[in-house]
Amino acid sequence: MKVSIIGVTGYSGLELLRLLSTHPNVEIVSIHSHSQNGEAIDRRFPHLKHLIELPLKEVDPEKIMENADLVFFAAPSGVAKDQALPFIEKQFPVIDLSGDYRLKNPAQYKKWYGKTSAPIEALEQATYGLADFDLPKDLKLIANPGCYATAAILSVAPLVKQQLIEKNSIIFDGKSGLSGAGKKLSEASHYTEANDNMSVYKLNQHQHIPEIIQQLQSWDAEIPAIQFSTALIPVTRGILMTTYCRAKEGVTSEAVRQAFEAEYEGKAFIRLQEGQDFPCIKQVVGSNYCDIGMAYNEATQTITVVSVIDNLVKGAAGQAIQNLNLLMNVPETTGLELVPVYP
């Protein structure tokens, strides 16, 4: 499949470029930027020298559709909601890594992103691409999940789907490395602020909250809300999500473990920890894995789940390629058989 990438100079776009460059079923035919056109990508990013030397081009939907079979949008939220429309109107396959097509309710997008949403007709065509669960066939518009949302939803899906927890008891506590904030500078991302530090941000205001609720309610419409907090930690890549839920009466540790084993049996990119072991960020960096550990405190009826992902791979580019593989009807692991970087 011939693909183009719009927004290639961001962290997620560069990760797409890295992973797709060795994908056996993909040819990258064009890469696009909104501000750095005309220059070879390896001049801007020397780590690509002798590997990828494509020129950065302006976004021209007609030319892209002439030369490619699918387009990735890796631009910040607010770009694809407008620039993807010519592709959507012509039923040209799009995988969007931003939040522009994740939410079905335009009012929710306005509330959480502070912008006017894409037209409702376009939103209705989008499928939320949580790649480890069954997706419809013949998709044309895939909304790739957010990084925090991926870690959160995977940590609680078996408990929600098998109705093992009280519906109003879900608490997510996520911690992310600095690359999750993208390239745009802020005071919090300065070295002197982030190093040797940990800070909470966007408490009860994070834009991934509504997509998490939307997905959980698709499995159990009676879930009213979630508690969600995020913190910045001094690492480059990775998310560690700690999830707390109150178990229903009669639930046992064995039932919790069996729920996860049944849900994720055969899932290539979900790895369950043994016994009371819990995963750390370091064991997934550079890979498309989500590693999960769990425990149940019967004294407090509290289930604790810890999930870890690389926010740029499983939380962005890797899951997008997993979705691409599903579209192409090739094994979902194609191009993603990545051994985590350690140490």
Side-chain angles (χ1 to χ4, degrees):
M1 180 173 282
K2 296 180 179 181
V3 305
S4 296
I5 305 171
I6 295 175
V8 72
T9 59
Y11 290 141
S12 295
L14 288 168
E15 195 71 353
L16 266 176
L17 195 64
R18 180 178 78 89
L19 298 177
L20 288 171
S21 67
T22 58
H23 194 296
N25 300 86
V26 168
E27 177 188 357
I28 304 169
V29 294
S30 64
I31 55 177
H32 304 267
S33 168
H34 294 93
S35 59
Q36 301 169 34
N37 300 322
E39 192 174 17
I41 188 74
D42 65 317
R43 293 282 295 169
R44 178 69 178 83
F45 300 99
H47 70 284
L48 298 175
K49 193 170 184 62
H50 299 318
L51 299 172
I52 300 168
E53 299 178 351
L54 291 169
L56 291 162
K57 297 181 178 180
E58 64 181 358
V59 178
D60 184 327
E62 292 299 326
K63 288 184 179 179
I64 290 172
M65 286 187 278
E66 285 177 9
N67 297 304
D69 303 311
L70 177 143
V71 61
F72 289 95
F73 273 84
S77 293
V79 174
K81 72 184 184 66
D82 298 316
Q83 292 201 1
L85 294 180
F87 301 96
I88 296 170
E89 289 167 1
K90 294 193 176 182
Q91 294 288 291
F92 188 84
V94 173
I95 298 178
D96 178 35
L97 277 69
S98 79
D100 287 358
Y101 294 94
R102 295 173 189 158
L103 304 179
K104 294 301 185 182
N105 185 337
Q108 287 284 295
Y109 184 85
K110 176 69 174 177
K111 174 183 176 181
W112 293 93
Y113 288 85
K115 305 179 181 78
T116 303
S117 76
I120 187 67
E121 297 82 8
L123 296 178
E124 289 174 347
Q125 295 181 52
T127 295
Y128 189 66
L130 199 63
D132 297 290
F133 296 89
D134 292 335
L135 298 177
K137 303 297 182 183
D138 301 321
L139 299 179
K140 296 297 184 183
L141 175 56
I142 295 178
N144 215 57
C147 52
Y148 273 124
T150 297
I153 294 169
L154 292 177
S155 75
V156 80
L159 305 176
V160 171
K161 295 177 78 172
Q162 298 198 28
Q163 299 194 352
L164 298 180
I165 57 176
E166 298 294 342
K167 302 178 191 296
N168 63 347
S169 71
I170 304 173
I171 300 173
F172 296 109
D173 179 21
K175 300 172 181 65
S176 175
L178 272 75
S179 62
K183 281 188 170 182
K184 188 176 180 180
L185 292 177
S186 68
E187 183 176 337
S189 65
H190 286 192
Y191 178 83
T192 51
E193 299 291 335
N195 185 52
D196 290 335
N197 197 11
M198 173 175 155
S199 56
V200 172
Y201 69 101
K202 289 188 178 180
L203 184 62
N204 300 326
Q205 299 176 1
H206 200 283
Q207 67 272 18
H208 290 177
I209 292 174
E211 68 177 275
I212 297 170
I213 295 174
Q214 178 179 271
Q215 182 60 39
L216 297 185
Q217 288 180 340
S218 75
W219 292 324
D220 186 342
E222 295 181 358
I223 291 177
I226 61 172
Q227 182 61 42
F228 187 83
S229 63
T230 52
L232 193 65
I233 56 176
V235 300
T236 300
R237 291 172 178 246
I239 287 176
L240 188 146
M241 181 69 63
T242 308
T243 302
Y244 306 96
C245 310
R246 183 174 293 277
K248 289 183 176 179
E249 290 290 339
V251 170
T252 63
S253 296
E254 183 179 2
V256 171
R257 165 63 64 168
Q258 288 177 349
F260 278 87
E261 290 177 346
E263 185 64 47
Y264 293 134
E265 183 180 6
K267 301 295 185 182
F269 293 114
I270 309 293
R271 303 190 300 188
L272 300 181
Q273 300 290 113
E274 300 295 331
Q276 294 291 300
D277 293 340
F278 291 92
C280 66
I281 287 174
K282 202 70 172 175
Q283 69 192 54
V284 296
V285 169
S287 80
N288 198 51
Y289 290 113
C290 175
D291 287 1
I292 299 175
M294 71 217 70
Y296 177 42
N297 185 343
E298 296 185 6
T300 61
Q301 290 184 251
T302 301
I303 300 170
T304 302
V305 184
V306 177
S307 62
V308 293
I309 63 170
D310 183 321
N311 55 289
L312 294 180
V313 188
K314 186 60 172 173
Q319 184 160 213
I321 294 171
Q322 198 177 343
N323 279 319
L324 175 69
N325 290 338
L326 295 171
L327 269 181
M328 291 194 295
N329 199 30
V330 300
E332 65 179 320
T333 57
T334 306
L336 292 172
E337 293 166 323
L338 309 166
V339 176
V341 177
Y342 189 90

